[in-house]
Amino acid sequence: MSPATPDHTIPTPGDHLRHGDRLARLERVWANGPGLVGQLTAVNHSTVSMRVIVTGFAFLLVGGLLSMFMRLQLAWPGLQVLDPQRYAQFVTMHGTTMMFLFAVPIMGGFAMYLVPKMIGARDLPFPRLSSFGYWCYLFGGLFLYSSFIFGSVPDTGWFMYTPLSDSTYSPGKGADFWLIGVTFAEIAAVVSAVEVIAAVLITRAPGMDLRRMPLFVWAMLVTAFMIAFGFPPLILASILLEIQRAFDFAFFEVARGGDPLLWQHLFWLFGHPEVYIIFLPAAGVVSMVVSTFARRPMVGYTWIVLALVATGFLSFGLWVHHMFAVGIPLLALAFFSAASMMVAIPTGIQIFAWLATLWAGKPWLRVPMLYIIGFFVVFVCGGLTGVMLAFVPFNWQVHDTHFVVAHLHYVLIGGLMFPLFAGLYYWLPLASGRMPSESLSRSGFWLVFIGFNLAFLPMHLTGMVGMPRRVDSYAMELGVHWLNLLSTAASFVMAVGVVAILIDVALCFVLGRRGVENPWQAGTLEWAVPSPVPTYNFASVPQIESRYPLWDNPEVVAATRRTDGLLGEAHDNRRELLGTGIQSGRPEQVIRVSTSTWLPILAAFTIAILLAGFISSQYWLSILMLVPLIGLFLHWAWTTGDRHAPAELEVAPGLRLPTQAAARNAPGWWALVVTLLIDGSLFASLVFAYFYLWLNAPVWPPVGATVMAWTPALVALAPLVLPLLAAWLGPVALAAGRLRTAIAWQVVAVVGGAVYLGLHLPALWAAVGAPQVHAYASVVWTLAGFHAVHILVAMLIGGFTAMRIRCGYVDGVRRLESRIAAAFWRYTVGIGVVTWAVLHLFPRWA
């Protein structure tokens, strides 16, 4: 019930008229444009999330088709369905597609669609960013698959181990397509992390404190933080390898002081958390479905939240779980073996809580619950084989065999696919307003469940007798031909089931029978929206008083559809969200978000051209495309929010709140915080690479290597004092109303950054030399270049902020841009000091 209107109020005819006018205005303000142009420019979270989900399922079909050819090749010894090179290409593209283009994006699409509705928000706080992430995802996937057109398909595995993937052993462009395409597509995952964290922290409905958030929202919040810390190591590894391939750097080349195991450490720092990045959203889906179909609140809500958080932390201590056979010292193996088994504890807590909820409730066996039961069976089996692989001697025995393939698929398909299809059928009536075919949906389940188990259960046996993975044939004498034939036949049964499910879902939107609202009688807030779902979700932002508001206060549904509550009026015909306190959930600000625009697709397309120029070695084109790209992003920043918005707005009778430019916890501030967390993880991974090579690579640093003399090193560091002073005194001057002084401090910061670059980089070149000489020089220049890029970005932000102050959009009250510029300069100076210490202090000490 909205706090602005008491319940049981009898509306007058005038109230109905005003309600109709307000509702029409909301529909007009939040509507997408007409036709194809309207779809391409739409930034509404429901529209963009549907694009992500459809694209994800399209990549699922493509990746599944590749696996069918692989299974045909393995059906019997000596078959020639695929030659060895094509088989390696299909293995690489299948794994890459399923891990990077399906598993993570599809759950991100579900989160993008559901999280705002679950927390009582009208949209995500950065709609254009969501759209930009989608276009990067689509273009990245197309970029990767364009390798088939150019005859340069990656063939070194979805993990791209060095040295097989360097230019010596993979001289073509296949590895470049993988490195650039996957990194391009990963922008979507990083963007979704920023969106979800900011949305959950500051746009929850009033009254929804942290103890009342739906468990799916908790799962996505933990997952978003895991993405923020887990994806940067892989992004860094991809950048380092691409730099080595393109410019002859030496990060992974032993002959010049590198180490190929550095790639494995960076990759699996991402790779094992990736498993839980996939699993935790699925666990959130299970919690939602189990509670609804058990007809009772979830047992052990707090324990499940703690288990989600614990899983997020523990997953980052398991990366060597995948490197037991590379020569790691036995003491380290014992530690990582124990950590691999320890992560089963929080997972077990969640499973027992789900079973206890079903035991204490009155379960209703519909199609979503069928998939949950399938999840319990398959995932528990996968977890048991995971504990087996955590034992080092057994891991050595079955390493790189089909046992690992079977375990991986039991965990990923059991931990993702079954909950994914449960969630798909659970929320399908919400998205479509129709009900799917009961017979076809049940048939799809049984085809997938039976086909999957018959396909992958035999692989445990073939792996234990020694059948290696990623090999296109095997000897008849191995005695596994009948098991492989069974796996192949069953995989086609499973494929038919997946296709039947997707056909059923597609037909539901067109031919499904009209369903009632909230057909499952769920208790969470997403089911309060009307059907079909309006683009603004809620006419008035609801007031929440419990974890299951629709069960505890059914009148909240009617309150969200009236326009006499919070933000029921579309001020100035602008799209508005309500910002609330991070912990308390009290109203704190009004957030004005952008409308449909071409900026996201144009920016993503410009990046695609830039990367195409890079992969074709037309570096002049890549440099040229930086100009429009920077221009697009500057225009994007200039038009963010509403620069003409007043400092305060009335959101309900008697309640005035600041707009985001004048608010303390503005979305832009939290976007910066999360972005710096991601960037800090990237920087920490680079520093890790430096020290890893120092400790493990032979002859490090190389004989004759020098460091910069003390005097030029100290002189180069000194100019960073200027941006640090500007970051402190600039906001002070702005708060005091001294606008010209605030502009002057922005100029001082820019000058300080430019002087630092002018002094440090030439002196570093004189001391270290070219980066191609040795891995030491490669890493030193990468660290220095990383910081230099941040200096240039900070200079752009400083100049941008000075222009905003000069034009009157930033002042003593609306200080958001100034705070962001100051924080970014402080961060840039901080990583600069660390970089300086690593490059100039540590070598002298060591």
Side-chain angles (χ1 to χ4, degrees):
M1 182 174 61
S2 169
T5 305
D7 194 23
H8 304 304
T9 300
I10 301 175
T12 65
D15 292 331
H16 282 302
L17 181 60
R18 286 192 294 272
H19 169 74
D21 291 341
R22 290 170 178 165
L23 207 58
R25 188 179 298 114
L26 283 173
E27 291 171 352
R28 183 175 65 254
V29 167
W30 286 88
N32 298 328
L36 178 61
V37 171
Q39 287 298 311
L40 292 175
T41 59
V43 296
N44 178 271
H45 80 101
S46 294
T47 304
V48 175
S49 61
M50 284 297 183
R51 292 181 197 159
V52 175
I53 292 170
V54 171
T55 305
F57 279 123
F59 280 122
L60 169 67
L61 293 176
V62 174
L65 182 63
L66 295 175
S67 70
M68 293 298 98
F69 281 99
M70 292 155 51
R71 281 312 320 169
L72 283 174
Q73 173 63 28
L74 296 176
W76 203 257
L79 292 181
Q80 297 296 321
V81 178
L82 301 171
D83 60 53
Q85 182 181 11
R86 184 63 75 181
Y87 184 84
Q89 292 171 350
F90 277 33
V91 167
T92 301
M93 294 298 286
H94 167 72
T96 302
T97 301
M98 292 308 193
M99 296 297 288
F100 298 106
L101 301 180
F102 168 66
V104 174
I106 198 75
M107 295 313 298
F110 270 70
M112 194 181 299
Y113 185 83
L114 292 169
V115 166
K117 297 174 176 63
M118 287 184 171
I119 62 176
R122 286 178 171 164
D123 205 339
L124 293 166
F126 308 106
R128 291 186 296 189
L129 195 61
S130 299
S131 180
F132 172 71
Y134 167 73
W135 293 115
C136 289
Y137 164 47
L138 177 63
F139 292 158
L142 296 177
F143 198 98
L144 180 64
Y145 270 89
S146 68
S147 60
F148 282 98
I149 300 174
F150 295 101
S152 298
V153 185
D155 61 359
T156 52
W158 69 273
F159 32 75
M160 294 293 290
Y161 281 171
T162 56
L164 293 178
S165 56
D166 67 21
S167 55
T168 302
Y169 297 98
S170 296
K173 293 291 185 180
D176 301 295
F177 273 104
W178 190 97
L179 294 166
I180 294 175
V182 168
T183 303
F184 192 14
E186 284 170 355
I187 294 175
V190 174
V191 161
S192 71
V194 175
E195 283 277 30
V196 168
I197 293 173
V200 173
L201 290 182
I202 61 172
T203 64
R204 303 190 309 273
M208 186 180 284
D209 60 29
L210 296 177
R211 298 166 298 175
R212 293 173 179 170
M213 291 199 312
L215 287 169
F216 180 78
V217 177
W218 266 113
M220 289 311 309
L221 181 62
V222 174
T223 301
F225 276 108
M226 291 177 67
I227 290 173
F229 291 108
F231 270 64
L234 176 62
I235 293 172
L236 174 68
S238 301
I239 292 172
L240 295 185
L241 182 53
E242 184 57 31
I243 292 174
Q244 176 171 312
R245 290 176 57 86
F247 303 116
D248 197 32
F249 282 42
F251 305 106
F252 310 107
E253 186 179 329
V254 175
R256 289 187 286 165
D259 188 347
L261 283 184
L262 173 62
W263 169 271
Q264 290 198 36
H265 281 287
L266 291 174
F267 183 88
W268 291 115
L269 275 169
F270 146 84
H272 205 89
E274 160 85 341
V275 174
Y276 297 96
I277 287 170
I278 292 170
F279 167 67
L280 289 187
V285 172
V286 174
S287 295
M288 304 300 292
V289 175
V290 164
S291 178
T292 295
F293 285 93
R295 301 296 188 216
R296 59 152 295 140
M298 178 60 61
V299 172
Y301 173 95
T302 303
W303 284 100
I304 291 180
V305 171
L306 293 175
L308 292 170
V309 175
T311 301
F313 275 106
L314 290 173
S315 67
F316 284 94
L318 308 179
W319 80 92
V320 179
H321 174 92
H322 298 269
M323 300 173 62
F324 283 171
V326 302
I328 301 293
L330 291 178
L331 182 62
L333 291 182
F335 170 80
F336 286 103
S337 176
S340 298
M341 289 181 278
M342 189 182 302
V343 78
I345 296 174
T347 304
I349 290 173
Q350 293 181 79
I351 292 174
F352 282 117
W354 295 327
L355 293 176
T357 303
L358 291 172
W359 184 268
K362 297 178 180 179
W364 185 19
L365 192 60
R366 296 296 296 273
V367 171
M369 272 305 298
L370 280 178
Y371 283 99
I372 297 301
I373 294 171
F375 154 77
F376 284 138
V377 174
V378 174
F379 185 73
V380 169
C381 291
L384 292 175
T385 57
V387 173
M388 294 169 67
L389 288 170
F391 287 97
V392 176
F394 183 81
N395 188 293
W396 285 345
Q397 185 70 28
V398 298
H399 182 74
D400 262 352
T401 70
H402 272 230
F403 187 95
V404 178
V405 176
H407 160 72
L408 179 67
H409 285 81
Y410 261 82
V411 170
L412 292 182
I413 293 181
L416 170 69
M417 290 282 285
F418 282 92
L420 173 65
F421 287 137
L424 185 65
Y425 277 107
Y426 177 63
W427 284 296
L428 188 58
L430 174 67
S432 67
R434 299 171 182 268
M435 300 298 292
S437 166
E438 189 74 16
S439 58
L440 187 56
S441 56
R442 287 179 179 267
S443 299
F445 165 76
W446 288 112
L447 287 170
V448 169
F449 183 78
I450 295 171
F452 168 79
N453 284 286
L454 290 180
F456 290 98
L457 189 60
M459 290 188 191
H460 294 92
L461 302 177
T462 60
M464 292 183 73
V465 299
M467 182 175 174
R469 58 175 174 166
R470 302 189 298 275
V471 176
D472 65 297
S473 189
Y474 52 95
M476 180 72 76
E477 290 75 17
L478 196 61
V480 296
H481 43 285
W482 289 110
L483 290 174
N484 273 299
L485 184 62
L486 173 61
S487 290
T488 298
S491 67
F492 278 86
V493 174
M494 178 184 170
V496 171
V498 171
V499 172
I501 291 168
L502 297 183
I503 290 175
D504 183 30
V505 171
L507 290 177
C508 177
F509 280 89
V510 181
L511 304 175
R513 62 179 176 83
R514 290 287 179 184
V516 298
E517 292 186 359
N518 194 5
W520 315 124
Q521 295 302 304
T524 45
L525 198 56
E526 75 272 21
W527 294 100
V529 300
S531 181
V533 180
T535 50
Y536 51 83
N537 291 339
F538 305 98
S540 290
V541 178
Q543 174 77 30
I544 302 304
E545 298 174 354
S546 68
R547 292 173 185 161
Y548 299 92
L550 272 63
W551 286 348
D552 299 330
N553 181 21
E555 294 162 354
V556 73
V557 176
T560 63
R561 301 183 185 185
R562 296 198 299 265
T563 57
D564 51 0
L566 292 169
L567 291 185
E569 179 71 35
H571 302 95
D572 305 323
N573 291 321
R574 298 287 307 202
R575 297 184 181 184
E576 294 173 338
L577 312 179
L578 184 68
T580 52
I582 295 174
Q583 183 175 358
S584 65
R586 295 191 184 95
E588 287 186 349
Q589 61 183 305
V590 177
I591 303 167
R592 289 193 165 178
V593 297
S594 55
T595 57
S596 299
T597 173
W598 284 100
L599 280 174
I601 188 173
L602 289 177
F605 187 69
T606 305
I607 295 175
I609 298 175
L610 184 152
L611 295 178
F614 190 90
I615 201 171
S616 61
S617 300
Q618 304 298 316
Y619 301 120
W620 62 269
L621 178 61
S622 299
I623 295 172
L624 186 65
M625 295 311 297
L626 286 174
V627 176
L629 185 62
I630 293 173
L632 284 168
F633 280 130
L634 287 175
H635 179 65
W636 185 324
W638 192 266
T639 56
T640 296
D642 180 8
R643 60 186 185 275
H644 299 292
E648 284 188 347
L649 285 171
E650 186 176 57
V651 299
L655 178 60
R656 296 184 64 84
L657 296 176
T659 51
Q660 73 254 42
R664 184 69 183 167
N665 283 318
W669 175 256
W670 282 104
L672 175 71
V673 170
V674 180
T675 301
L676 294 186
L677 286 176
I678 296 168
D679 190 85
S681 178
L682 191 67
F683 178 67
S685 301
L686 184 54
V687 173
F688 165 82
Y690 176 91
F691 285 109
Y692 175 83
L693 291 176
W694 190 289
L695 294 172
N696 291 278
V699 194
W700 184 283
V703 177
T706 61
V707 294
M708 192 186 302
W710 273 117
T711 300
L714 291 171
V715 169
L717 183 65
L720 289 183
V721 174
L722 295 178
L724 203 60
L725 282 173
W728 172 39
L729 297 174
V732 173
L734 188 66
R738 299 194 298 271
L739 302 186
R740 290 185 178 180
T741 306
I743 293 174
W745 278 116
Q746 295 295 336
V747 174
V748 167
V750 171
V751 170
V755 172
Y756 170 83
L757 293 180
L759 293 175
H760 187 247
L761 297 184
L764 193 64
W765 178 270
V768 178
Q772 291 84 3
V773 175
H774 191 271
Y776 175 73
S778 298
V779 177
V780 166
W781 274 109
T782 305
L783 269 167
F786 183 88
H787 184 235
V789 169
H790 284 70
I791 289 282
L792 293 173
V793 172
M795 291 166 64
L796 272 175
I797 293 175
F800 175 85
T801 304
M803 287 298 298
R804 296 279 284 188
I805 297 172
R806 187 176 183 277
C807 293
Y809 302 136
V810 177
D811 53 33
V813 176
R814 294 174 293 189
R815 293 179 289 171
L816 177 60
E817 284 92 338
S818 175
R819 292 172 58 211
I820 289 174
F824 194 84
W825 270 118
R826 286 194 293 268
Y827 171 80
T828 300
V829 172
I831 65 171
V833 171
V834 174
T835 300
W836 188 89
V838 169
L839 299 185
H840 305 304
L841 287 184
F842 178 76
R844 289 181 168 86
W845 173 81

